[in-house]
């Protein structure tokens, strides 16, 4: 049990690698971003559930870092039952990653999700799931913002409602030379509320921003998204107090 005098654990961000890589590789790929974010968050890295061939650009840089993993299979004509089964496998992989961090009773909530490429599609699904009405409380109930890096479309999009968009604050990056840029643009346009989404376009391809300057800018955007949530929570509390005061005086 925490006492008021003990330092509170930092809030956590769940980090989801791209297809054909791994949590270990993503940990290395995000070193500049994590350094730029300073001591604001803890980071939890999850391995996807399906063993895979290496993804684009993984070799020869990460030769010897096997095994590689992917979040979903690419199969046409998959049934709803198939989508649901894949979703359960992903959920189990995420639970394993969270459990591996230690004592959950003394851990901070997972307040953000950060995904690259295929991992950004999974991150989108988690954000959509968090806001769907009637959902039972889950581990992702505390999600407050998302970071989508060179994202691709969410894999189980057929399970969502028509016109469904992520309303939470999000940050997106697009490499101007990314061969899948059109897909990333469609993800942003089709699945995210424009007023809550912020985009950083950088000079590069299908990878994380590499320059110190770009990572510092990205870190500022992430902190801004997190602070937008804090500001929204403050407003909600003020409204709730006002309504409570009105009720008490009726």
């Amino acid at each position: 049990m925490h006492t008021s005098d003990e330092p509170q654990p930092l809030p956590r961000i769940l980090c989801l690698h791209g297809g054909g890589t791994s949590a270990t590789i993503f940990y290395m790929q995000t070193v500049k971003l994590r350094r730029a974010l300073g001591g604001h968050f803890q980071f939890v890295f999850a391995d996807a559930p399906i063993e895979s061939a290496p993804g684009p650009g993984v070799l020869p840089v990460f030769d010897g870092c096997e095994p590689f993993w992917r979040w979903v299979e690419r199969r046409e004509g998959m049934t709803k039952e198939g989508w649901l089964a894949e979703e359960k496998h992903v959920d189990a992989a995420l639970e394993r990653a969270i459990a591996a961090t230690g004592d959950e009773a003394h851990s901070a909530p997972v307040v953000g999700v950060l995904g690259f490429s295929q991992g950004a599609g999974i991150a989108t699904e988690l954000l959509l799931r968090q806001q769907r009405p009637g959902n039972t409380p889950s581990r992702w109930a505390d999600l407050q913002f998302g970071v989508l890096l060179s994202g691709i479309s969410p894999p189980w999009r057929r399970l969502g409602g028509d016109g469904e968009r992520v309303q939470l604050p999000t940050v997106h990056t697009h490499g101007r030379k990314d061969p899948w840029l059109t897909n990333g643009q469609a993800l942003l346009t089709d699945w995210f509320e424009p007023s809550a989404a912020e985009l950083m376009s950088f000079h590069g391809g299908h990878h994380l921003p590499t320059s110190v300057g770009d990572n510092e800018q990205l870190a500022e955007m992430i902190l801004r998204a997190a602070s937008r949530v804090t500001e929204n929570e403050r407003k909600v509390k003020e409204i709730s107090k006002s309504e409570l005061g009105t009720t008490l005086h009726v």
Side-chain angles (χ1 to χ4, degrees):
M1 177 177 181
H2 288 297
T3 68
S4 58
D5 295 329
E6 292 178 339
Q8 297 301 302
L10 294 172
R12 296 184 289 180
I13 294 178
L14 178 65
C15 302
L16 310 178
H17 62 78
T21 64
S22 67
T24 299
I25 292 173
F26 200 39
Y27 180 85
M28 291 186 279
Q29 291 173 322
T30 56
V31 61
K32 291 180 181 178
L33 177 58
R34 289 184 287 111
R35 187 178 296 133
L37 282 167
H40 289 89
F41 302 101
Q42 300 178 73
F43 300 88
V44 179
F45 290 82
D47 274 321
I50 304 169
E51 194 161 353
S52 168
V58 171
L59 300 180
V61 179
F62 296 107
D63 191 17
C65 292
E66 300 86 346
F68 307 116
W69 306 92
R70 64 181 302 109
W71 294 101
V72 293
E73 297 286 4
R74 292 178 178 169
R75 297 193 298 270
E76 293 297 326
M78 184 180 286
T79 64
K80 182 176 180 179
E81 290 71 22
W83 292 102
L84 289 169
E86 282 201 336
E87 190 174 37
K88 288 181 179 179
H89 289 314
V90 168
D91 284 347
L94 301 182
E95 288 291 343
R96 286 193 295 271
I98 296 292
T101 63
D103 184 359
E104 276 297 288
H106 292 166
S107 296
V110 178
V111 299
V113 58
L114 180 153
F116 170 72
S117 190
Q118 193 179 87
I122 300 298
T124 302
E125 288 287 348
L126 294 180
L127 293 166
L128 288 168
R129 190 190 308 179
Q130 188 270 354
Q131 68 186 31
R132 283 172 186 154
N135 261 8
T136 56
S138 72
R139 170 162 325 267
W140 317 117
D142 293 313
L143 280 180
Q144 298 172 353
F145 64 90
V147 184
L148 298 304
L149 310 174
S150 298
I152 63 173
S153 297
W156 310 303
R157 55 194 178 279
R158 297 172 190 170
L159 303 181
D162 293 337
E164 187 178 26
R165 291 175 182 269
V166 173
Q167 304 294 321
L168 293 170
T170 53
V171 174
H172 304 252
T173 66
H174 291 164
R176 289 189 288 272
K177 294 185 177 181
D178 187 343
W180 294 282
L181 177 58
T182 301
N183 195 308
Q185 291 169 331
L187 173 69
L188 175 57
T189 301
D190 295 344
W191 293 96
F192 292 87
E193 171 57 41
S195 63
E198 190 173 5
L199 171 65
M200 185 185 90
S201 179
F202 67 96
H203 183 74
H206 193 68
H207 54 76
L208 278 68
T210 56
S211 75
V212 171
D214 282 345
N215 278 279
E216 288 177 347
Q217 179 185 348
L218 179 55
E220 290 176 2
M221 294 168 69
I222 293 170
L223 294 174
R224 188 156 56 243
S227 67
R228 286 179 65 185
V229 173
T230 303
E231 178 67 13
N232 288 341
E233 288 179 341
R234 183 187 65 78
K235 291 179 180 178
V236 169
K237 288 179 181 178
E238 288 179 353
I239 293 170
S240 297
K241 288 179 180 178
S242 175
E243 291 176 347
L244 177 60
T246 301
T247 302
L248 291 174
H249 285 87
V250 171

